[in-house]
């Protein structure tokens, strides 16, 4: 019988010809080396008891190897990708993997090696070669976090090459696509990587108040978490306050909705500033923490949300001012707050009966409020509000104030120079359309012209520490600091 150049016969007693072991192994694995003699080998195996027994032994070996490989792959997958339980969003039952008595991998592995030593030696060589290739894929050489994402309930951390370093399971609703308007353009205000201690490795910081995780136990929305480069927790800070304003005691129910991180002082020690709101929207606070250990430094209280933020050194002293904007509910006006990062303290301007008990006068550098337009009679809210804050390419600060109308998104654009003087005002297309429509309906008598916008420009008011004035001015407190 001729089974091709790669097939050999061996003789036993008498004239009975058998297939050699190599030929049977090639038959079992379906090798192309036996392509021309496969049919003849199959016919021989069907009538030769001795070769059929060897065929079963070799077949059993390969089946066992395949089974062991599949089990090991499952265990490896679980080891590499199982969610880190460092954060437990809610109490869960014990979900340990049940191990079947049929899958005692170590003992089965030893028995197989003893039974097929030569074949397993070849297998070890192949596995070692595969690991040399695969291990760098599973364990990136660059372990320094570069950026992080919130996706499908997980906090995912990546290096500069986009390789995943580690992940934490947070909970339902934790996803980048759920970011609210005030941080969607700046997702780093909710989740970021930053070297807080200057050791050359980035930590990862996250806040959760913008999510829908209020039912998590314990809650996350009043916490900021800081993780080391390897994913272990470095520190956490939880917001708990009991504050009374105008004789009303506000519940200890706060959300950290945004996070600012940078060395705004330019002193080598970065600051963490948290934007915090009492549920649902009043009052709010800016809380400054030590970025290295998360310890409390100071806080500034405000009667209304101020979620929009930019920073810029406007006076050339090397310290970047922090600009916050939103609305002052107690004054009924859109507002802009300018703070020195070294002095985030006190309480914003408000009627006396709305000053928080025990909180001193605010340490603002500037505090501005914006006038209503003649559309105020059509407002559907108690105040206009800032909806966007931008440093333009020419250095001007652009503040976009929205008139709260039901039918239109009517916005006014204010522009300020480095002395905080309002240099120009213009209306958006939506504002122009709203005004003209209300003119047609007989609800407005004024007309949009240069004089209209100049009145708005001159109507911007500045807090001097005692009252609001209509010329650009710092607060009295900050003027004294500047003189000293």
């Amino acid at each position: 019988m001729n089974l091709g150049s790669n097939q050999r016969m061996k003789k036993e007693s008498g004239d009975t010809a058998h297939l050699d072991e190599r030929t049977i192994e090639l038959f079992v694995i379906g090798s192309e080396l036996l392509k021309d003699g496969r049919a003849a080998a199959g016919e021989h195996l069907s009538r030769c008891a001795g070769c059929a027994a060897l065929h079963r032994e070799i077949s059993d070996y390969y089946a066992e190897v395949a089974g062991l490989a599949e089990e090991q792959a499952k265990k490896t997958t679980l080891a590499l990708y199982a969610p880190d339980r460092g954060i437990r969003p809610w109490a869960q039952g014990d979900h340990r993997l049940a191990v079947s008595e049929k899958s005692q991998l170590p003992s089965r592995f030893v028995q197989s090696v003893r039974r097929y030593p030569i074949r397993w030696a070849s297998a070890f060589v192949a596995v070692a070669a595969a690991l040399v290739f695969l291990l760098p894929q599973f364990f990136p050489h660059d372990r320094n976090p570069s950026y992080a994402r919130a996706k499908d309930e997980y906090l995912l951390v990546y290096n500069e090459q986009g390789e995943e370093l580690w992940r934490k399971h947070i909970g339902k609703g934790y996803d980048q696509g759920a970011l609210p308007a005030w941080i969607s353009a700046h997702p780093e205000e909710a989740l970021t990587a930053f070297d807080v201690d200057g050791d050359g490795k980035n930590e990862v910081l996250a806040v959760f108040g913008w999510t829908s995780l209020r039912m998590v136990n314990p809650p996350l929305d009043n916490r900021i978490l800081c993780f080391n480069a390897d994913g272990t927790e470095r520190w956490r800070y939880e917001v708990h306050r009991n504050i009374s304003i105008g004789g009303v005691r506000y519940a200890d129910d706060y959300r950290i909705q945004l996070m600012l991180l940078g060395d705004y002082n330019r002193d080598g020690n970065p600051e963490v500033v948290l934007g915090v709101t009492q549920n649902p929207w009043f009052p709010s606070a800016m809380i400054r923490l030590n970025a290295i250990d998360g310890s409390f430094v100071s806080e500034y209280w405000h009667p209304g949300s101020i979620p929009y933020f930019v920073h810029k050194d406007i006076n050339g002293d090397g310290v970047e001012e922090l600009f916050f904007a939103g609305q002052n509910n107690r004054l009924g006006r859109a507002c802009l707050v300018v703070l020195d990062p070294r002095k985030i303290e006190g309480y914003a301007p408000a009627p006396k009966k709305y000053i928080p008990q025990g909180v001193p006068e605010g340490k603002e550098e500037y505090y501005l409020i914006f006038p209503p337009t003649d559309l105020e009679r059509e407002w559907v809210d108690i105040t206009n509000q800032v909806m966007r804050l931008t440093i333009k390419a020419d250095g001007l600060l652009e503040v976009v104030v929205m008139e709260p109308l039901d039918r239109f998104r009517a916005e006014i654009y204010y522009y300020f120079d480095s002395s905080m003087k309002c240099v120009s005002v213009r209306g958006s297309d939506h504002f122009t359309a709203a005004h003209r429509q209300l003119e047609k309906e007989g609800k407005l008598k004024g007309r949009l012209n240069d004089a209209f916008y100049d009145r708005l420009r001159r109507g911007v008011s500045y807090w001097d520490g005692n009252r609001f004035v209509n010329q650009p001015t710092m607060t009295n407190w900050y003027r004294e600091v500047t003189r000293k």
Side-chain angles (χ1 to χ4, degrees):
M1 185 187 327
N2 182 11
L3 299 178
S5 60
N6 292 307
Q7 180 179 355
R8 299 182 300 279
M9 296 292 207
K10 62 181 181 180
K11 296 282 187 176
E12 285 193 346
S13 59
D15 295 327
T16 304
H18 293 285
L19 302 179
D20 65 14
E21 184 174 330
R22 176 61 175 163
T23 299
I24 296 175
E25 185 171 23
L26 293 174
F27 182 86
V28 169
I29 66 177
S31 173
E32 288 292 317
L33 297 176
L34 199 63
K35 180 178 180 181
D36 296 334
R38 184 171 184 79
E43 192 276 332
H44 179 84
L45 289 170
S46 69
R47 58 184 174 79
C48 178
C51 290
L54 184 57
H55 173 266
R56 286 192 297 273
E57 179 182 346
I58 294 174
S59 297
D60 289 345
Y61 161 76
Y62 278 103
E64 187 168 5
V65 169
L68 290 170
E70 182 178 358
E71 291 179 36
Q72 185 60 30
K74 290 179 180 179
K75 291 177 179 291
T76 301
T77 299
L78 287 170
L80 291 173
Y81 295 105
D84 190 302
R85 307 303 185 193
I87 300 176
R88 297 181 181 271
W90 50 74
Q92 298 183 7
D94 191 353
H95 298 294
R96 298 170 186 164
L97 295 175
V99 181
S100 168
E101 293 182 359
K102 296 181 180 180
S103 62
Q104 300 301 316
L105 186 59
S107 60
R108 292 179 60 204
F109 176 78
V110 171
Q111 293 172 6
S112 181
V113 171
R114 288 176 177 171
R115 187 175 181 185
Y116 311 112
I118 296 176
R119 294 190 182 97
W120 272 108
S122 300
F124 286 142
V125 172
V127 169
L131 287 175
V132 169
F133 174 75
L134 291 175
L135 281 177
Q137 312 300 317
F138 291 132
F139 305 104
H141 67 282
D142 178 6
R143 304 298 301 171
N144 189 26
S146 178
Y147 62 97
R149 295 287 183 267
K151 185 177 180 182
D152 299 332
E153 301 188 10
Y154 285 86
L155 186 161
L156 304 173
V157 177
Y158 303 90
N159 63 17
E160 194 172 29
Q161 291 74 41
E163 300 168 316
E164 183 180 324
L165 299 180
W166 46 268
R167 58 174 58 194
K168 301 281 184 182
H169 184 247
I170 305 302
K172 187 176 181 181
Y174 189 67
D175 192 282
Q176 208 86 356
L179 288 170
W182 64 85
I183 55 174
S184 58
H186 302 282
E188 71 278 2
E189 294 179 3
L191 176 61
T192 193
F194 193 94
D195 184 2
V196 302
D197 55 5
D199 67 351
K201 289 194 173 183
N202 289 330
E203 284 69 35
V204 176
L205 294 93
V207 298
F208 309 94
W210 55 271
T211 68
S212 59
L213 293 170
R214 291 195 59 76
M215 300 305 293
V216 171
N217 185 24
L220 294 175
D221 51 4
N222 69 333
R223 301 182 184 190
I224 176 174
L225 295 175
C226 178
F227 300 97
N228 292 308
D230 63 2
T232 57
E233 185 176 313
R234 182 187 182 95
W235 56 260
R236 68 174 58 194
Y237 181 84
E238 300 181 14
V239 177
H240 293 288
R241 298 290 187 276
N242 289 293
I243 193 168
S244 295
I245 302 176
V248 176
R249 189 173 184 83
Y250 286 81
D252 180 14
D253 184 10
Y254 291 87
R255 300 182 186 182
I256 303 177
Q257 296 186 321
L258 63 88
M259 160 188 62
L260 315 173
L261 181 57
D263 184 12
Y264 305 114
N265 294 352
R266 307 285 179 87
D267 62 356
N269 298 311
E271 295 83 38
V272 174
V273 181
L274 304 178
V276 177
T277 302
Q278 200 273 351
N279 185 34
W281 55 71
F282 174 88
S284 65
M286 310 311 296
I287 300 176
R288 179 185 172 195
L289 306 178
N290 182 316
I292 294 176
D293 60 12
S295 58
F296 174 82
V297 178
S298 63
E299 62 190 10
Y300 173 80
W301 287 87
H302 192 269
S305 178
I306 46 174
Y308 301 99
F309 167 77
V310 294
H311 55 95
K312 181 186 178 183
D313 180 4
I314 60 173
N315 54 19
D317 64 354
V319 175
E320 294 186 276
E321 278 76 15
L322 309 182
F323 296 77
F324 298 96
Q327 62 192 76
N328 186 317
N329 291 351
R330 294 312 185 190
L331 296 177
R333 293 291 181 266
C335 66
L336 172 66
V337 189
V338 184
L339 296 176
D340 183 317
R342 298 163 297 186
K343 294 292 181 182
I344 301 177
E345 303 174 21
Y347 189 74
K352 288 184 178 180
K353 66 178 181 178
Y354 294 120
I355 301 298
Q357 183 178 343
V359 178
E361 180 182 350
K363 300 294 191 292
E364 308 92 354
E365 194 168 329
Y366 291 93
Y367 194 99
L368 288 69
I369 57 174
F370 295 85
T373 72
D374 55 354
L375 301 183
E376 184 177 12
R377 67 189 68 182
E378 300 294 324
W379 283 6
V380 294
D381 199 354
I382 62 172
T383 178
N384 51 355
Q385 58 186 298
V386 175
M387 297 301 295
R388 193 160 62 251
L389 200 58
T390 309
I391 303 291
K392 308 300 287 185
D394 58 5
L396 292 179
L397 173 67
E398 179 185 78
V399 183
V400 182
V401 177
M402 187 181 73
E403 300 276 297
L405 303 181
D406 186 37
R407 292 182 288 168
F408 302 92
R409 185 179 178 86
E411 296 174 330
I412 304 292
Y413 291 73
Y414 292 82
Y415 295 90
F416 296 85
D417 64 16
S418 59
S419 68
M420 295 309 297
K421 177 183 178 181
C422 185
V423 295
S424 65
V425 180
R426 67 178 179 88
S428 68
D429 291 342
H430 286 278
F431 177 83
T432 302
H435 202 281
R436 289 176 177 169
Q437 179 61 37
L438 291 171
E439 288 176 28
K440 289 180 181 180
E441 295 174 4
K443 296 180 179 179
L444 296 177
K445 294 181 179 179
R447 294 290 183 269
L448 295 180
N449 50 34
D450 291 344
F452 177 91
Y453 290 113
D454 192 56
R455 282 194 298 272
L456 291 179
R457 183 186 66 79
R458 289 184 285 108
V460 175
S461 298
Y462 301 75
W463 179 249
D464 70 1
N466 297 310
R467 60 193 179 93
F468 282 98
V469 297
N470 290 117
Q471 63 267 10
T473 183
M474 291 180 173
T475 62
N476 295 333
W477 178 88
Y478 205 82
R479 282 201 304 274
E480 290 299 318
V481 170
T482 302
R483 290 193 187 102
K484 293 178 182 178

